[in-house]
Amino acid sequence: EAGVTQSPTHLIKTRGQQATLRCSPISGHTSVYWYQQALGLGLQFLLWYDEGEERNRGNFPPRFSGRQFPNYSSELNVNALELEDSALYLCASSLRAGGNTDTQYFGPGTRLTVL
Amino acid sequence: RKEVEQDPGPFNVPEGATVAFNCTYSNSASQSFFWYRQDCRKEPKLLMSVYSSGNEDGRFTAQLNRASQYISLLIRDSKLSDSATYLCVVKGSPGDNFNKFYFGSGTKLNVKP
Protein backbone atom coordinates (compact mmCIF):
# COMPACT_ATOMS: atom_id res chain seq x y z
CA GLU A 1 0.00 0.00 0.00
CA ALA A 2 1.34 3.42 -0.96
CA GLY A 3 2.05 5.78 1.89
CA VAL A 4 1.47 9.50 2.13
CA THR A 5 3.19 11.32 -0.71
CA GLN A 6 4.22 14.94 -0.89
CA SER A 7 5.53 17.16 -3.65
CA PRO A 8 7.83 18.79 -4.31
CA THR A 9 10.60 17.37 -2.13
CA HIS A 10 12.40 20.69 -2.06
CA LEU A 11 11.20 24.17 -2.90
CA ILE A 12 13.24 27.36 -3.03
CA LYS A 13 11.48 30.70 -3.12
CA THR A 14 12.28 34.32 -2.42
CA ARG A 15 10.63 36.63 0.07
CA GLY A 16 7.21 37.82 -1.02
CA GLN A 17 6.58 34.92 -3.38
CA GLN A 18 3.91 32.28 -2.98
CA ALA A 19 4.49 28.57 -2.39
CA THR A 20 2.16 25.66 -3.09
CA LEU A 21 2.78 22.29 -1.48
CA ARG A 22 0.86 19.14 -2.29
CA CYS A 23 -0.07 16.02 -0.40
CA SER A 24 -1.77 12.75 -1.29
CA PRO A 25 -3.05 10.74 1.66
CA ILE A 26 -3.04 7.00 2.07
CA SER A 27 -5.86 5.46 0.07
CA GLY A 28 -9.04 5.42 2.15
CA HIS A 29 -7.89 8.14 4.53
CA THR A 30 -10.14 11.19 4.63
CA SER A 31 -8.28 13.39 7.11
CA VAL A 32 -5.20 15.37 6.14
CA TYR A 33 -3.06 17.39 8.52
CA TRP A 34 -0.33 19.91 7.80
CA TYR A 35 2.56 20.69 10.16
CA GLN A 36 5.50 23.03 10.07
CA GLN A 37 8.82 21.96 11.55
CA ALA A 38 11.53 24.58 11.62
CA LEU A 39 15.10 23.30 11.94
CA GLY A 40 15.75 21.89 15.38
CA LEU A 41 12.22 22.58 16.59
CA GLY A 42 9.10 20.53 17.22
CA LEU A 43 6.11 20.08 14.96
CA GLN A 44 3.70 22.99 14.87
CA PHE A 45 0.14 22.19 13.82
CA LEU A 46 -1.01 24.21 10.82
CA LEU A 47 -4.25 22.86 9.38
CA TRP A 48 -6.59 19.89 9.48
CA TYR A 49 -8.91 18.93 6.64
CA ASP A 50 -11.51 16.22 6.61
CA GLU A 51 -14.04 15.37 3.95
CA GLY A 52 -13.10 18.47 1.99
CA GLU A 53 -13.54 20.94 4.82
CA GLU A 54 -11.16 22.79 7.07
CA ARG A 55 -11.81 21.48 10.58
CA ASN A 56 -9.18 23.30 12.56
CA ARG A 57 -6.16 25.51 12.19
CA GLY A 58 -3.20 26.30 14.38
CA ASN A 59 -1.82 29.68 15.41
CA PHE A 60 -0.60 30.77 12.00
CA PRO A 61 -1.45 33.92 10.05
CA PRO A 62 -4.09 33.83 7.28
CA ARG A 63 -1.40 33.79 4.60
CA PHE A 64 -1.16 30.08 5.39
CA SER A 65 -4.14 28.46 3.74
CA GLY A 66 -5.08 25.31 1.96
CA ARG A 67 -7.77 23.09 0.65
CA GLN A 68 -8.74 19.48 0.28
CA PHE A 69 -9.95 18.09 -3.00
CA PRO A 70 -12.73 15.53 -3.64
CA ASN A 71 -10.11 12.78 -3.92
CA TYR A 72 -8.87 13.82 -0.41
CA SER A 73 -5.55 15.12 -1.65
CA SER A 74 -4.61 18.48 -0.23
CA GLU A 75 -2.74 21.62 -1.04
CA LEU A 76 -1.04 24.06 1.33
CA ASN A 77 -0.52 27.60 0.10
CA VAL A 78 1.78 30.09 1.74
CA ASN A 79 1.48 33.65 0.47
CA ALA A 80 3.86 36.55 0.93
CA LEU A 81 6.68 34.28 2.01
CA GLU A 82 8.93 35.39 4.84
CA LEU A 83 12.39 34.15 5.73
CA GLU A 84 11.06 32.46 8.88
CA ASP A 85 8.74 30.31 6.77
CA SER A 86 11.76 28.22 5.87
CA ALA A 87 11.02 24.81 7.34
CA LEU A 88 10.08 21.22 6.67
CA TYR A 89 6.36 21.02 5.92
CA LEU A 90 4.90 17.67 6.83
CA CYS A 91 1.59 16.25 5.74
CA ALA A 92 -0.09 13.41 7.60
CA SER A 93 -3.23 11.46 6.98
CA SER A 94 -5.51 9.41 9.17
CA LEU A 95 -8.33 7.02 8.50
CA ARG A 96 -11.28 9.11 9.64
CA ALA A 97 -12.26 11.89 11.94
CA GLY A 98 -13.64 11.05 15.34
CA GLY A 99 -12.11 7.65 15.90
CA ASN A 100 -10.45 7.08 19.24
CA THR A 101 -7.55 5.10 17.89
CA ASP A 102 -6.97 6.83 14.57
CA THR A 103 -3.29 7.21 13.94
CA GLN A 104 -1.49 9.71 11.77
CA TYR A 105 0.90 8.59 9.07
CA PHE A 106 3.36 11.11 7.73
CA GLY A 107 4.68 11.86 4.29
CA PRO A 108 8.37 12.59 3.71
CA GLY A 109 7.81 16.34 3.78
CA THR A 110 8.58 19.32 1.58
CA ARG A 111 11.60 21.33 2.57
CA LEU A 112 10.86 24.98 1.83
CA THR A 113 13.69 27.46 1.74
CA VAL A 114 12.93 31.17 1.54
CA LEU A 115 15.82 33.36 0.42
CA ARG B 1 1.18 25.54 29.81
CA LYS B 2 1.88 23.38 26.77
CA GLU B 3 -0.51 20.57 26.00
CA VAL B 4 2.32 18.04 25.87
CA GLU B 5 5.70 18.38 27.54
CA GLN B 6 8.82 16.29 27.17
CA ASP B 7 12.36 16.48 28.44
CA PRO B 8 14.36 17.43 25.33
CA GLY B 9 17.42 15.47 26.47
CA PRO B 10 19.72 14.44 24.99
CA PHE B 11 19.86 11.10 26.71
CA ASN B 12 23.30 9.64 26.02
CA VAL B 13 23.40 5.92 26.82
CA PRO B 14 25.69 2.99 25.98
CA GLU B 15 24.54 0.11 23.82
CA GLY B 16 22.60 -2.42 25.83
CA ALA B 17 21.34 0.09 28.36
CA THR B 18 17.75 0.54 29.40
CA VAL B 19 16.37 4.05 29.00
CA ALA B 20 13.00 5.57 29.85
CA PHE B 21 11.28 8.74 28.70
CA ASN B 22 8.30 10.42 30.26
CA CYS B 23 5.83 12.82 28.76
CA THR B 24 3.15 14.82 30.56
CA TYR B 25 -0.10 16.09 29.09
CA SER B 26 -2.42 18.81 30.32
CA ASN B 27 -5.89 17.69 29.23
CA SER B 28 -7.21 14.99 31.52
CA ALA B 29 -9.92 14.11 28.99
CA SER B 30 -7.43 13.15 26.28
CA GLN B 31 -8.27 9.80 24.77
CA SER B 32 -5.43 8.51 22.66
CA PHE B 33 -1.68 8.50 23.07
CA PHE B 34 1.19 7.61 20.80
CA TRP B 35 4.95 7.50 20.57
CA TYR B 36 6.59 8.45 17.28
CA ARG B 37 10.20 8.23 16.28
CA GLN B 38 11.84 10.89 14.13
CA ASP B 39 15.26 10.52 12.57
CA CYS B 40 17.22 13.62 11.67
CA ARG B 41 15.58 15.55 8.83
CA LYS B 42 13.05 12.78 8.25
CA GLU B 43 9.34 12.44 8.86
CA PRO B 44 7.99 11.08 12.16
CA LYS B 45 7.10 7.40 12.10
CA LEU B 46 4.67 5.71 14.42
CA LEU B 47 6.48 3.63 17.00
CA MET B 48 3.50 2.49 19.05
CA SER B 49 0.13 3.47 20.38
CA VAL B 50 -0.23 3.61 24.15
CA TYR B 51 -3.12 1.72 25.68
CA SER B 52 -4.58 2.07 29.14
CA SER B 53 -3.30 -1.34 30.17
CA GLY B 54 0.19 -0.64 28.85
CA ASN B 55 1.65 -2.40 25.89
CA GLU B 56 4.88 -3.95 24.76
CA ASP B 57 6.44 -4.41 21.36
CA GLY B 58 9.72 -6.25 21.51
CA ARG B 59 12.22 -4.09 23.39
CA PHE B 60 9.75 -1.21 23.70
CA THR B 61 7.18 -0.81 26.47
CA ALA B 62 4.68 2.03 26.72
CA GLN B 63 2.69 2.90 29.82
CA LEU B 64 -0.12 5.33 30.51
CA ASN B 65 -0.77 6.86 33.93
CA ARG B 66 -4.05 8.75 33.72
CA ALA B 67 -4.05 9.81 37.36
CA SER B 68 -0.76 11.65 36.96
CA GLN B 69 -1.34 12.47 33.30
CA TYR B 70 1.82 11.07 31.87
CA ILE B 71 2.92 8.43 29.44
CA SER B 72 6.23 6.68 29.36
CA LEU B 73 8.38 4.79 26.90
CA LEU B 74 10.92 2.22 28.05
CA ILE B 75 13.59 0.93 25.69
CA ARG B 76 15.49 -2.15 26.78
CA ASP B 77 18.81 -3.38 25.36
CA SER B 78 19.39 -0.15 23.41
CA LYS B 79 20.81 -0.46 19.89
CA LEU B 80 22.79 2.10 17.95
CA SER B 81 19.86 2.24 15.56
CA ASP B 82 17.58 3.46 18.35
CA SER B 83 19.31 6.85 18.19
CA ALA B 84 16.58 9.28 17.19
CA THR B 85 14.16 11.81 18.60
CA TYR B 86 11.11 10.32 20.27
CA LEU B 87 7.91 12.32 20.04
CA CYS B 88 5.04 12.00 22.46
CA VAL B 89 1.65 12.60 20.83
CA VAL B 90 -1.70 13.13 22.51
CA LYS B 91 -4.97 13.22 20.64
CA GLY B 92 -7.54 15.81 21.64
CA SER B 93 -10.64 14.80 23.51
CA PRO B 94 -14.24 15.10 22.35
CA GLY B 95 -15.36 18.69 22.76
CA ASP B 96 -11.78 19.94 22.70
CA ASN B 97 -10.68 19.93 19.09
CA PHE B 98 -11.27 16.22 18.85
CA ASN B 99 -9.02 14.66 16.26
CA LYS B 100 -6.43 17.36 16.78
CA PHE B 101 -3.07 15.84 17.61
CA TYR B 102 -0.72 17.56 20.05
CA PHE B 103 2.97 16.84 19.62
CA GLY B 104 5.64 17.13 22.24
CA SER B 105 8.88 18.75 21.15
CA GLY B 106 10.67 15.42 21.38
CA THR B 107 13.32 13.70 23.45
CA LYS B 108 16.63 13.05 21.75
CA LEU B 109 18.32 9.71 22.36
CA ASN B 110 21.95 9.00 21.48
CA VAL B 111 23.03 5.39 21.85
CA LYS B 112 26.80 5.07 21.84
CA PRO B 113 29.00 2.03 21.19
Side-chain angles (χ1 to χ4, degrees), chain A residues 2 9 21 34 37 44 46-47 52 54 56-57 64 66 71 77 84 89 96-97 100 102:
Chain A
T9 305
L21 288 63
W34 287 96
Q37 188 174 34
Q44 301 297 317
L46 268 165
L47 289 158
E54 182 181 303
N56 211 334
R57 65 179 294 130
F64 287 83
N71 65 354
N77 295 296
E84 52 265 34
Y89 288 83
R96 66 189 184 283
N100 262 351
D102 291 345

Side-chain angles (χ1 to χ4, degrees), chain A residues 49-71:
Chain A
Y49 292 96
D50 185 69
E51 296 284 359
E53 297 203 6
E54 182 181 303
R55 303 292 184 174
N56 211 334
R57 65 179 294 130
N59 295 325
F60 281 84
R63 58 191 187 81
F64 287 83
S65 65
R67 52 181 171 164
Q68 186 178 33
F69 299 100
N71 65 354

Side-chain angles (χ1 to χ4, degrees), chain B residues 12-88:
Chain B
N12 298 308
V13 303
E15 267 187 294
T18 295
V19 61
F21 311 133
N22 281 344
C23 159
T24 58
Y25 60 94
S26 61
N27 188 341
S28 60
S30 297
Q31 298 291 314
S32 305
F33 310 87
F34 309 90
W35 283 102
Y36 281 72
R37 169 199 170 120
Q38 186 173 27
D39 292 289
C40 189
R41 299 173 74 83
K42 298 281 191 180
E43 75 272 23
K45 294 190 175 177
L46 178 68
L47 183 62
M48 56 200 308
S49 302
V50 186
Y51 304 122
S52 296
S53 55
N55 48 303
E56 188 173 310
D57 182 3
R59 299 181 292 108
F60 298 84
T61 300
Q63 297 277 354
L64 168 63
N65 184 319
R66 284 194 182 274
S68 300
Q69 294 181 212
Y70 76 84
I71 66 173
S72 63
L73 177 67
L74 181 77
I75 305 175
R76 288 180 298 278
D77 189 23
S78 299
K79 311 291 184 193
L80 294 177
S81 57
D82 294 334
S83 297
T85 296
Y86 290 83
L87 303 174
C88 169

